[in-house]
Amino acid sequence: MNSRSAARGFLAFLLSLPALQGEVGYAVGCTSKTVCALKESTVDIICTYNFPKKDKELNVTQLWHKGKKHKAVSLTKDADYEGRVEYSCGEISCIENSCNGTCALKIKNLTQSDSAEYMFSFIINRKSGKFSGDPGVKLSVTDQVMVSFASSTDPTRANMTCHNVPKTPSVTVSPSGEIVNGSSVTLSCSSDANPAADYTWFKEHEDSVGRSGQNYTITNITSELGGNYCCQAHNAIGRHNSTCFYIHVTETSSLTSFIVRIVVVSILVLATILLVFLFHRTTRASREASGLGEAAEMVGEVEGEVRDRNADF
């Protein structure tokens, strides 16, 4: 039997430490944080739960759902899981003052869209009687799984590792603001992939920029180097291209242009003030000079009259 066939019947059952849910005596212990499974296979995820014996006579309801507990909708009522989901919950047993139970979720004919976080909740028929395992169990569904056996004497227990076609990579740029001619810019590419992806950079309408690696730095950038840059994430399973990121290179920064404009305006204002000051000063000097001339003429006239009178005598 090959590893793919063996993996189809794999049962995910690795219990984590119980998670306390706000009140003493109430707890949920779910499977390991991540579970790996093949497409079209079946997976079982198991949780245990505890509550005080005093609540045993109350109605206890078990519930499996996707996502966080405030969006708890039973998978049995989700059209995407119709005919593919089963709950298998055992009898509740009590010892001294504590009761516990086990509940398994079975999902058949897995698809990649089933990859999600699954949570178990149990509801007690009283106020504030809802308790959930948080965080839940993250299920990864893939078409590539590596199976290894922990012991040659126990072929029923296997370790599974998911291998994925890289997800669509994303591109970020630093600095995030405007890019000025002569500055440096770094592009970063990231993708969720197993095995880890390698990255190749290229410019739109060009085969490649001749660089590989998760980060691509352009030093002393020019306007000719602007344009759409993309990255490709690839591993042994497949490859995926990112959406291209457009780099616009400006000759000067807007801050520099703003400062230049402020300086020019300031010089013009100061020049205008100086011209007005000089104009008023010149005008006042002219008026003062004119006044002195008139006074001199009056003095001359008076002196003439005095001379004339003296001559009469």
Side-chain angles (χ1 to χ4, degrees), residues 175-181 183-184 248-250 252-257:
S176 58
E178 63 181 352
I179 300 169
V180 182
N181 189 34
S183 65
S184 295
H248 175 65
V249 182
T250 60
T252 57
S253 70
S254 59
L255 177 60
T256 302
S257 300

PDB file of all heavy atoms in Angstrom, residues 175-181 183-184 248-250 252-257:
ATOM      1  N   PRO A 175      11.288  52.282   1.239  1.00  0.00           N
ATOM      2  CA  PRO A 175      10.279  52.984   2.028  1.00  0.00           C
ATOM      3  C   PRO A 175       8.921  52.977   1.338  1.00  0.00           C
ATOM      4  O   PRO A 175       8.846  52.828   0.115  1.00  0.00           O
ATOM      5  CB  PRO A 175      10.836  54.404   2.129  1.00  0.00           C
ATOM      6  CG  PRO A 175      11.678  54.552   0.893  1.00  0.00           C
ATOM      7  CD  PRO A 175      12.293  53.211   0.653  1.00  0.00           C
ATOM      8  N   SER A 176       7.875  53.166   2.138  1.00  0.00           N
ATOM      9  CA  SER A 176       6.526  53.050   1.595  1.00  0.00           C
ATOM     10  C   SER A 176       6.036  54.335   0.940  1.00  0.00           C
ATOM     11  O   SER A 176       5.038  54.309   0.229  1.00  0.00           O
ATOM     12  CB  SER A 176       5.558  52.640   2.715  1.00  0.00           C
ATOM     13  OG  SER A 176       5.591  53.579   3.776  1.00  0.00           O
ATOM     14  N   GLY A 177       6.723  55.455   1.182  1.00  0.00           N
ATOM     15  CA  GLY A 177       6.297  56.720   0.590  1.00  0.00           C
ATOM     16  C   GLY A 177       6.814  56.894  -0.823  1.00  0.00           C
ATOM     17  O   GLY A 177       7.140  55.926  -1.517  1.00  0.00           O
ATOM     18  N   GLU A 178       6.888  58.151  -1.257  1.00  0.00           N
ATOM     19  CA  GLU A 178       7.365  58.428  -2.606  1.00  0.00           C
ATOM     20  C   GLU A 178       8.838  58.071  -2.744  1.00  0.00           C
ATOM     21  O   GLU A 178       9.603  58.105  -1.777  1.00  0.00           O
ATOM     22  CB  GLU A 178       7.125  59.893  -2.959  1.00  0.00           C
ATOM     23  CG  GLU A 178       7.881  60.878  -2.071  1.00  0.00           C
ATOM     24  CD  GLU A 178       7.598  62.307  -2.449  1.00  0.00           C
ATOM     25  OE1 GLU A 178       6.950  62.526  -3.478  1.00  0.00           O
ATOM     26  OE2 GLU A 178       8.028  63.212  -1.722  1.00  0.00           O
ATOM     27  N   ILE A 179       9.230  57.692  -3.939  1.00  0.00           N
ATOM     28  CA  ILE A 179      10.597  57.266  -4.220  1.00  0.00           C
ATOM     29  C   ILE A 179      11.260  58.338  -5.070  1.00  0.00           C
ATOM     30  O   ILE A 179      10.803  58.639  -6.175  1.00  0.00           O
ATOM     31  CB  ILE A 179      10.594  55.903  -4.928  1.00  0.00           C
ATOM     32  CG1 ILE A 179       9.925  54.859  -4.020  1.00  0.00           C
ATOM     33  CG2 ILE A 179      12.002  55.477  -5.281  1.00  0.00           C
ATOM     34  CD1 ILE A 179       9.625  53.559  -4.706  1.00  0.00           C
ATOM     35  N   VAL A 180      12.345  58.906  -4.550  1.00  0.00           N
ATOM     36  CA  VAL A 180      13.007  60.036  -5.193  1.00  0.00           C
ATOM     37  C   VAL A 180      14.201  59.549  -5.991  1.00  0.00           C
ATOM     38  O   VAL A 180      14.896  58.604  -5.602  1.00  0.00           O
ATOM     39  CB  VAL A 180      13.456  61.063  -4.134  1.00  0.00           C
ATOM     40  CG1 VAL A 180      14.108  62.275  -4.799  1.00  0.00           C
ATOM     41  CG2 VAL A 180      12.262  61.505  -3.305  1.00  0.00           C
ATOM     42  N   ASN A 181      14.430  60.177  -7.122  1.00  0.00           N
ATOM     43  CA  ASN A 181      15.569  59.867  -7.975  1.00  0.00           C
ATOM     44  C   ASN A 181      16.869  59.885  -7.171  1.00  0.00           C
ATOM     45  O   ASN A 181      17.165  60.818  -6.441  1.00  0.00           O
ATOM     46  CB  ASN A 181      15.638  60.898  -9.106  1.00  0.00           C
ATOM     47  CG  ASN A 181      16.660  60.517 -10.159  1.00  0.00           C
ATOM     48  OD1 ASN A 181      16.859  59.348 -10.436  1.00  0.00           O
ATOM     49  ND2 ASN A 181      17.302  61.514 -10.738  1.00  0.00           N
ATOM     50  N   SER A 183      17.622  57.683  -4.741  1.00  0.00           N
ATOM     51  CA  SER A 183      17.466  57.002  -3.455  1.00  0.00           C
ATOM     52  C   SER A 183      17.511  55.486  -3.651  1.00  0.00           C
ATOM     53  O   SER A 183      17.677  54.989  -4.765  1.00  0.00           O
ATOM     54  CB  SER A 183      16.154  57.414  -2.798  1.00  0.00           C
ATOM     55  OG  SER A 183      15.046  56.976  -3.578  1.00  0.00           O
ATOM     56  N   SER A 184      17.368  54.743  -2.543  1.00  0.00           N
ATOM     57  CA  SER A 184      17.350  53.281  -2.593  1.00  0.00           C
ATOM     58  C   SER A 184      15.960  52.767  -2.235  1.00  0.00           C
ATOM     59  O   SER A 184      15.252  53.366  -1.426  1.00  0.00           O
ATOM     60  CB  SER A 184      18.377  52.691  -1.611  1.00  0.00           C
ATOM     61  OG  SER A 184      19.686  53.036  -1.987  1.00  0.00           O
ATOM     62  N   HIS A 248       7.023  54.413  -8.912  1.00  0.00           N
ATOM     63  CA  HIS A 248       7.080  55.720  -9.584  1.00  0.00           C
ATOM     64  C   HIS A 248       8.215  56.522  -8.974  1.00  0.00           C
ATOM     65  O   HIS A 248       8.275  56.731  -7.754  1.00  0.00           O
ATOM     66  CB  HIS A 248       5.763  56.467  -9.412  1.00  0.00           C
ATOM     67  CG  HIS A 248       5.791  57.854  -9.972  1.00  0.00           C
ATOM     68  ND1 HIS A 248       5.934  58.114 -11.321  1.00  0.00           N
ATOM     69  CD2 HIS A 248       5.715  59.068  -9.353  1.00  0.00           C
ATOM     70  CE1 HIS A 248       5.934  59.420 -11.522  1.00  0.00           C
ATOM     71  NE2 HIS A 248       5.807  60.019 -10.345  1.00  0.00           N
ATOM     72  N   VAL A 249       9.148  56.956  -9.812  1.00  0.00           N
ATOM     73  CA  VAL A 249      10.323  57.695  -9.349  1.00  0.00           C
ATOM     74  C   VAL A 249      10.135  59.170  -9.684  1.00  0.00           C
ATOM     75  O   VAL A 249       9.897  59.520 -10.843  1.00  0.00           O
ATOM     76  CB  VAL A 249      11.609  57.153  -9.998  1.00  0.00           C
ATOM     77  CG1 VAL A 249      12.831  57.905  -9.475  1.00  0.00           C
ATOM     78  CG2 VAL A 249      11.756  55.653  -9.738  1.00  0.00           C
ATOM     79  N   THR A 250      10.250  60.033  -8.675  1.00  0.00           N
ATOM     80  CA  THR A 250      10.126  61.482  -8.879  1.00  0.00           C
ATOM     81  C   THR A 250      11.508  62.119  -8.854  1.00  0.00           C
ATOM     82  O   THR A 250      12.444  61.607  -8.237  1.00  0.00           O
ATOM     83  CB  THR A 250       9.256  62.114  -7.784  1.00  0.00           C
ATOM     84  OG1 THR A 250       9.860  61.872  -6.495  1.00  0.00           O
ATOM     85  CG2 THR A 250       7.863  61.515  -7.788  1.00  0.00           C
ATOM     86  N   THR A 252      12.345  65.143  -7.569  1.00  0.00           N
ATOM     87  CA  THR A 252      12.562  65.673  -6.224  1.00  0.00           C
ATOM     88  C   THR A 252      11.373  65.294  -5.367  1.00  0.00           C
ATOM     89  O   THR A 252      10.263  65.090  -5.876  1.00  0.00           O
ATOM     90  CB  THR A 252      12.714  67.206  -6.220  1.00  0.00           C
ATOM     91  OG1 THR A 252      11.532  67.778  -6.816  1.00  0.00           O
ATOM     92  CG2 THR A 252      13.949  67.637  -6.977  1.00  0.00           C
ATOM     93  N   SER A 253      11.590  65.241  -4.095  1.00  0.00           N
ATOM     94  CA  SER A 253      10.493  64.878  -3.198  1.00  0.00           C
ATOM     95  C   SER A 253       9.521  66.041  -3.074  1.00  0.00           C
ATOM     96  O   SER A 253       9.878  67.201  -3.264  1.00  0.00           O
ATOM     97  CB  SER A 253      11.032  64.501  -1.812  1.00  0.00           C
ATOM     98  OG  SER A 253      11.536  65.639  -1.154  1.00  0.00           O
ATOM     99  N   SER A 254       8.305  65.742  -2.748  1.00  0.00           N
ATOM    100  CA  SER A 254       7.297  66.786  -2.562  1.00  0.00           C
ATOM    101  C   SER A 254       7.675  67.701  -1.400  1.00  0.00           C
ATOM    102  O   SER A 254       7.372  68.892  -1.409  1.00  0.00           O
ATOM    103  CB  SER A 254       5.926  66.142  -2.315  1.00  0.00           C
ATOM    104  OG  SER A 254       5.959  65.305  -1.175  1.00  0.00           O
ATOM    105  N   LEU A 255       8.366  67.140  -0.390  1.00  0.00           N
ATOM    106  CA  LEU A 255       8.787  67.959   0.742  1.00  0.00           C
ATOM    107  C   LEU A 255       9.822  68.983   0.292  1.00  0.00           C
ATOM    108  O   LEU A 255       9.752  70.165   0.646  1.00  0.00           O
ATOM    109  CB  LEU A 255       9.369  67.080   1.848  1.00  0.00           C
ATOM    110  CG  LEU A 255       9.915  67.810   3.081  1.00  0.00           C
ATOM    111  CD1 LEU A 255       8.813  68.627   3.739  1.00  0.00           C
ATOM    112  CD2 LEU A 255      10.528  66.824   4.065  1.00  0.00           C
ATOM    113  N   THR A 256      10.787  68.533  -0.536  1.00  0.00           N
ATOM    114  CA  THR A 256      11.803  69.447  -1.043  1.00  0.00           C
ATOM    115  C   THR A 256      11.165  70.543  -1.880  1.00  0.00           C
ATOM    116  O   THR A 256      11.502  71.727  -1.756  1.00  0.00           O
ATOM    117  CB  THR A 256      12.841  68.678  -1.872  1.00  0.00           C
ATOM    118  OG1 THR A 256      13.434  67.668  -1.059  1.00  0.00           O
ATOM    119  CG2 THR A 256      13.914  69.613  -2.395  1.00  0.00           C
ATOM    120  N   SER A 257      10.236  70.155  -2.764  1.00  0.00           N
ATOM    121  CA  SER A 257       9.546  71.138  -3.608  1.00  0.00           C
ATOM    122  C   SER A 257       8.777  72.135  -2.758  1.00  0.00           C
ATOM    123  O   SER A 257       8.760  73.340  -3.042  1.00  0.00           O
ATOM    124  CB  SER A 257       8.596  70.420  -4.573  1.00  0.00           C
ATOM    125  OG  SER A 257       9.309  69.534  -5.403  1.00  0.00           O
TER     126      SER A 257
END
